DNA sequence: CTCGTAGTTGAACGATCGTTCACAAAATAG
DNA sequence: CTATTTTGTGAACGATCGTTCAACTACGAG
C-alpha cells in the first residue's frame, strides 16, 4: 500500500558518495546533493533524516561496497599477495578521474572533528584495510615471498599508515610516478623478494 | 602618521592557525575567527582582504614557524639523525592538546579542492619536510647509522608519506601507542641499526 | 590646536546554509 | 468507486555565512 519509491538507494548513495569524496562533508551543500542525486529535499530528509544521516549512509556504503571489494580483490583473493598489495596501492592513484578524489576514509578522518559520529565508520573501514593487509602478508610469508621473521601485525599497521599518507599526497597533487616509487620502496623495505626482483629486472633491462 | 595597530600579527596568525588546524578552512567561520583572534571583521578584512587571505597568511606562518622549526630541531640539527627522525614523528602525536589537531599541511592537503590557492603553500611545506628527512638520512648514512646502500631520496619520500599517514590516523583517533609501534617499525625497516637494537633490547628485557 | 591619515568598530547586507511542511501524486485495500 | 497510506514536490523558514561600509577613535605633522 502507498506510492512506490522511484529512486534506487544504491544509485543515490553512489552519487552522494562521489560528491562527498570530492568536496568533503562541509563542502557538499544540500543543493549540490539534490542536484547530484536528483532527489528533492523532502524525499532526502524523509529517507535519511539529515545531512549527517545521508553522509553516514554514504560512508557505510563506501565501506561495504568500495572498501570491501577492493580489499577482497587485491588483498584477500589475490593469487600473488605481494603483487596484490602493490596493485591495492597503485589502483588508488592511477585513476581516470581528474583530479583524484582520494579516499573517503582518509578525507573523513581528517574532517572528523566536524562530524564526530562518522569516526566509527572511519575506524571500521581502516580496520578492514588493515586486516586485509595482514591477510595478504600472512599468505605471502607462508609462500616465502616475504621473510619468515616478518612481523605481520606491525607491517600491516605500517602499510595502512603509508596508504593513508599516499592518499593525502594524492590530494595535494603529487605526481603519480612519485607515488609509484614510494610504493615500490615500501614493498622492498618490507622485504618482498618478488617486488625487489621485478624492480631489479627492470633495471637490468635498461643496461 | 595615523592610529597605531593594536594587535600583534604573530599572535593573530597563531590563533587563526590553531582554529584552522582544529576545524579546517570551511569549519572555521569568520565569527569563530573573530572570537579567537579578538579582532573585528573590519580590521580582519583590512589586513587580510578575505577569509582566504587570512588562511593563506596562517598557512605561510605555519610553514615558516612551526614546520621550519620542527624540521630544523629534529632533522637538520639533531646530533643523532636517526633519533631525530624518531622524535620528529613522535612529537607529532604526543601532544598535550586533546584531541590532537594533527598537521595543518595534512588537513589542508585533503581539503585543498575547496581552497585551490592553498596547494602551493602545502607543497612548499611538504617539500620542507621531505628535504629535512633527506638531510637527516644522508647524515645518518655518513655516520654508518644506516646502510651505505640506502636510497636517500626514496626513503625520504617514503617517510613523508608515512608521516602524513600517521597524521591522518591521529585525526581518526588511533591510540598513540600504535603510532609509536608504526614509527619504530618504519625506522627498523629502513635499516636503522640503532633503532633496531633499541627495540630488540626492550624485547630482551621482557624475557 | 588643527587637520589629514591610518586603524577600529559593529551594524547591516545579500547569499546561502540545513531543514520543514503543506500539498499533490500514486499505490493498495475494502 | 472511496478511503487510506506512502512517496514526491518545492516554496519557504530562520540561522548563519562571508563581506562591506560609514561612523568613530587615536595618532603624527605642521
Amino acid at each position: 500500500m502507498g506510492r512506490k519509491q522511484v529512486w534506487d538507494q544504491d544509485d543515490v548513495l553512489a552519487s552522494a558518495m562521489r560528491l562527498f569524496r570530492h568536496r568533503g562533508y562541509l563542502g557538499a551543500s544540500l543543493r549540490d546533493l539534490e542536484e547530484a542525486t536528483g532527489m528533492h529535499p523532502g524525499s532526502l530528509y524523509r529517507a535519511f533524516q539529515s545531512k549527517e544521516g545521508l553522509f553516514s549512509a554514504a560512508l557505510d556504503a563506501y565501506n561495504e561496497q568500495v572498501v570491501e571489494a577492493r580489499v577482497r580483490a587485491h588483498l584477500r583473493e589475490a593469487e600473488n599477495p605481494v603483487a596484490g598489495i602493490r596493485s591495492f596501492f597503485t589502483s588508488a592513484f592511477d585513476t581516470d578521474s581528474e583530479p583524484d578524489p582520494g579516499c573517503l576514509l582518509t578525507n573523513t578522518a581528517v574532517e572528523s572533528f566536524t562530524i564526530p559520529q562518522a569516526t566509527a565508520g572511519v575506524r571500521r573501514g581502516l580496520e578492514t584495510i588493515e586486516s586485509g593487509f595482514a591477510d595478504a602478508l600472512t599468505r605471502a610469508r607462508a609462500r616465502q615471498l616475504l621473510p619468515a621473521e616478518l612481523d605481520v601485525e606491525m607491517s600491516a599497521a605500517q602499510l595502512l599508515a603509508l596508504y593513508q599518507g599516499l592518499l593525502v599526497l594524492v590530494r595535494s597533487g603529487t605526481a603519480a610516478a612519485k607515488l609509484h616509487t614510494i610504493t615500490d620502496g615500501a614493498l622492498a623495505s618490507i622485504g618482498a623478494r618478488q617486488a625487489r626482483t621485478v624492480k631489479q629486472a627492470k633495471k637490468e633491462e635498461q643496461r
Side-chain angles (χ1 to χ4, degrees), chain A:
Chain A
M1 185 182 273
R3 191 170 172 173
K4 278 178 187 162
Q5 182 173 301
V6 298
W7 48 276
D8 179 70
Q9 167 128 338
D10 285 347
D11 291 348
V12 164
L13 287 181
S15 303
M17 202 188 294
R18 186 164 347 127
L19 198 65
F20 281 131
R21 226 169 128 182
H22 270 96
R23 299 226 248 266
Y25 176 76
L26 291 175
S29 79
L30 257 249
R31 266 83 178 172
D32 295 333
L33 289 160
E34 289 163 27
E35 196 187 2
T37 61
M39 286 178 73
H40 296 236
S43 298
L44 272 174
Y45 274 81
R46 173 181 228 319
F48 300 104
Q49 280 73 262
S50 64
K51 188 186 179 184
E52 279 183 13
L54 174 57
F55 183 82
S56 277
L59 182 58
D60 288 346
Y62 186 77
N63 275 337
E64 287 162 23
Q65 289 161 32
V66 180
V67 176
E68 295 270 13
R70 280 173 51 70
V71 166
R72 211 178 314 117
H74 293 101
L75 301 180
R76 306 203 104 101
E77 296 177 356
E79 62 175 315
N80 180 335
V82 173
I85 292 175
R86 180 193 305 283
S87 67
F88 184 81
F89 277 92
T90 57
S91 61
F93 44 80
D94 284 339
T95 56
D96 38 355
S97 76
E98 191 68 34
D100 194 313
C103 169
L104 187 58
L105 292 175
T106 315
N107 304 352
T108 307
V110 168
E111 215 181 353
S112 66
F113 290 9
T114 338
I115 353 163
Q117 72 288 355
T119 51
V122 171
R123 298 265 261 277
R124 244 190 64 215
L126 294 180
E127 236 166 74
T128 302
I129 297 174
E130 186 172 358
S131 75
F133 279 138
D135 183 86
L137 289 172
T138 305
R139 288 168 48 231
R141 193 180 50 180
R143 295 192 203 176
Q144 303 178 4
L145 296 168
L146 292 176
E149 69 273 15
L150 183 82
D151 183 337
V152 167
E153 291 303 316
M154 218 265 296
S155 300
Q158 218 174 307
L159 286 175
L160 176 67
L162 193 79
Y163 181 63
Q164 293 303 308
L166 288 171
L167 288 162
V168 170
L169 296 184
V170 158
R171 290 280 285 200
S172 81
T174 304
K178 181 159 191 173
L179 306 179
H180 273 105
T181 308
I182 296 175
T183 304
D184 289 341
L187 284 173
S189 71
I190 273 185
R193 283 176 210 158
Q194 190 176 15
R196 194 173 268 164
T197 50
V198 166
K199 216 189 139 204
Q200 286 182 342
K202 281 187 189 168
K203 274 190 190 169
E204 279 158 23
E205 276 177 37
Q206 289 170 357
R207 281 179 210 156

